Amino acid sequence: MKIGITCYPTYGGSGAVATELGIALAARGHEVHFITYQQPFRLRGFTPGIFYHEVDVVRYPLFEYPPYDLALAVRIHEVVRDHELELVHAHYAIPHATSAWIAREMLEDSGSSVQIITTLHGTDITLIGQDPSFRTITKFSIERSNGLTAVSEYLRRETISTFGCNQCKVQVIHNFIDPLVYKRSRYKQVLRQQTGEGKRILLHVSNFRPIKRVRDVVRIFAGIQREVPSVLFMVGDGPDRTAAEEEARLLGVERSVFFLGKLDSVAPLLASAELFLLPSTNESFGLSALEALACGVPVVASNAGGLPEVIRDGVTGALRPVGDVEGMAAAGIAILCDQETWQAMSDAAAADAHSRFALENIVAEYESFYARTLATRV
Ligand code: GMT
């Protein structure tokens, strides 16, 4: 198949999923065209079967807000026309599904029957997509997509209930990991080199937005550290980083919390970690939690959104209500205190992640979804 993919190319789970999917599709013989404003961060160097088309947004004195959505639509239109793409896969509804729809409208007279598939990732439905300034266009764009997928059952239900789009058929296709990359035994214990022996290693990876509750991450850690000698590594950056640093100082744990900033490759760090913390207000899926589990790291997280579809409470980690810092700390202590418990959870986490969310199986689900969508073309 000839497939176009548009996504957010910088940091973020939706861009990571879109890029890994494109790479896997190309490896299976498809021709994949990425159409984004920047080279996707997980796409490095030359990969056979992959083409990258940059979206250039012209600056003009009149444009206080340069219209990226239109520039993207024009680029999608060109790439579909010039490379005879059969489908465009938009990751994250806003604005990608809308731009893809505009491009398809522009192509109508050319005989192209390009199909649009939109994958809903999270806040495009649960947060920003519901803002009055976007709500109607989000609903319109997803209803006009030829195929819709959501990364969890939770997100599928949210889409139907919040947008009242009863006609929308949303297929759940979970996110995935490459079992060869997210494998504990593959890496040296790099974080251990920094901490030395004797301290348990906790990890958090996110974009430090309010929804991630990074102050809670530090509070949970402080609770665990009172009982279990440990350190916390915070990977990523974003608006609440300063708040998290302040929380560490307030709680007197600042010497045990290391802020590493944004890092490209987290698998080696995950493979050194012993507990992953994700106390978000909401996660439609929680890709970072899945990556941790795949590396044999039990996850303590909030019982919110799609996280229960990823983490098995009491088996591969622990789920507690949003904001239950004490409960999460107690769960973390229980997991870390007893080596047998930890080992059993670590083994179960890796096995469960590798069996339910392996790249090979999920990419095959996307392939058959593409084929079914193309088969319904009129
Ligand atoms: O929706 C967002 O806030 C952004 C998006 C992203 O690009 O990271 O995150 C969402 O998509 C990820 C990939 O499917 C999911 O793993 C995240 O859980 C989801 N974030 C939220 O629902 C907050």
Side-chain angles (χ1 to χ4, degrees):
M1 288 179 226
K2 291 182 165 200
I3 304 156
I5 293 183
T6 183
C7 64
Y8 284 107
T10 51
Y11 289 81
S14 59
V17 169
T19 312
E20 302 289 1
L21 174 62
I23 294 170
L25 288 165
R28 292 161 85 104
H30 302 288
E31 185 176 306
V32 177
H33 294 257
F34 284 99
I35 311 163
T36 57
Y37 61 82
Q38 197 173 302
Q39 173 122 353
F41 71 98
R42 288 204 178 173
L43 188 67
R44 290 178 215 98
F46 169 72
T47 312
I50 293 196
F51 302 84
Y52 165 55
H53 308 268
E54 191 163 298
V55 180
D56 187 25
V57 190
V58 172
R59 307 267 150 192
Y60 186 67
L62 214 55
F63 295 162
E64 193 170 336
Y65 305 102
Y68 172 68
D69 328 356
L70 299 184
L72 176 61
V74 169
R75 201 77 176 108
I76 294 174
H77 170 259
E78 280 168 8
V79 178
V80 171
R81 184 195 59 200
D82 297 349
H83 298 271
E84 298 175 344
L85 302 191
E86 297 160 84
L87 60 89
V88 172
H89 191 166
H91 286 262
Y92 202 92
I94 310 168
H96 304 125
T98 314
S99 301
W101 172 77
I102 297 172
R104 195 184 61 194
E105 288 292 297
M106 291 163 72
L107 284 155
E108 208 173 67
D109 296 335
S110 71
S112 159
S113 55
V114 67
Q115 301 285 286
I116 300 168
I117 288 174
T118 301
T119 289
L120 308 169
H121 278 274
T123 47
D124 45 352
I125 295 300
T126 57
L127 200 71
I128 190 70
Q130 292 182 32
D131 186 276
S133 58
F134 290 120
R135 189 183 164 85
T136 48
I137 195 131
T138 308
K139 182 172 178 343
F140 174 86
S141 309
I142 62 180
E143 284 176 348
R144 290 299 188 278
S145 296
N146 303 101
L148 272 181
T149 79
V151 296
S152 63
E153 176 55 32
Y154 156 79
L155 191 59
R156 187 189 73 79
R157 283 197 308 266
E158 277 297 295
T159 306
I160 291 170
S161 66
T162 49
F163 287 96
C165 86
N166 292 322
Q167 317 292 10
C168 297
K169 270 192 161 175
V170 187
Q171 168 88 32
V172 175
I173 303 184
H174 284 129
N175 289 332
F176 56 87
I177 43 93
D178 183 341
L180 299 175
V181 174
Y182 291 91
K183 188 174 181 178
R184 197 169 186 86
S185 59
R186 181 176 163 173
Y187 306 96
K188 287 196 184 127
Q189 299 281 297
V190 280
L191 294 178
R192 186 60 67 206
Q193 287 168 3
Q194 178 155 333
T195 59
E197 296 300 325
K199 290 191 174 165
R200 310 308 293 270
I201 298 175
L202 279 66
L203 188 65
H204 170 78
V205 181
S206 80
N207 49 22
F208 289 58
R209 284 179 303 156
I211 205 165
K212 303 293 175 182
R213 298 180 73 98
V214 285
R215 272 189 188 270
D216 278 8
V217 174
V218 176
R219 289 179 190 142
I220 296 161
F221 166 69
I224 292 175
Q225 210 217 22
R226 277 195 280 275
E227 302 284 327
V228 181
S230 42
V231 291
L232 170 67
F233 287 93
M234 301 282 278
V235 177
D237 213 327
D240 283 355
R241 175 171 171 165
T242 316
E245 288 170 342
E246 184 191 66
E247 192 67 33
R249 280 191 299 275
L250 279 172
L251 296 172
V253 294
E254 72 274 23
R255 287 181 183 279
S256 304
V257 183
F258 302 97
F259 288 85
L260 304 184
K262 287 181 185 173
L263 292 169
D264 265 354
S265 160
V266 290
L269 306 187
L270 288 167
S272 314
E274 291 162 292
L275 196 69
F276 190 85
L277 303 178
L278 193 64
S280 310
T281 311
N282 193 14
E283 289 290 343
S284 67
F285 183 88
L287 181 63
S288 60
L290 173 61
E291 293 176 342
L293 296 171
C295 286
V297 190
V299 178
V300 172
S302 36
N303 191 359
L307 286 168
E309 291 173 55
V310 180
I311 303 154
R312 294 195 196 277
D313 189 23
V315 180
T316 65
L319 296 167
R320 297 291 178 270
V322 175
D324 181 9
V325 169
E326 282 177 18
M328 292 190 202
I333 292 166
I335 294 168
L336 291 172
C337 260
D338 178 53
Q339 189 53 24
E340 255 180 51
T341 306
W342 182 84
Q343 193 61 58
M345 243 186 202
S346 167
D347 293 345
D352 190 47
H354 287 211
S355 75
R356 289 198 296 142
F357 303 104
L359 171 142
E360 183 97 347
N361 303 336
I362 307 283
V363 173
E365 285 186 40
Y366 273 113
E367 266 178 325
S368 50
F369 186 72
Y370 290 171
R372 286 202 303 280
T373 307
L374 289 176
T376 60
R377 269 183 300 193
V378 278

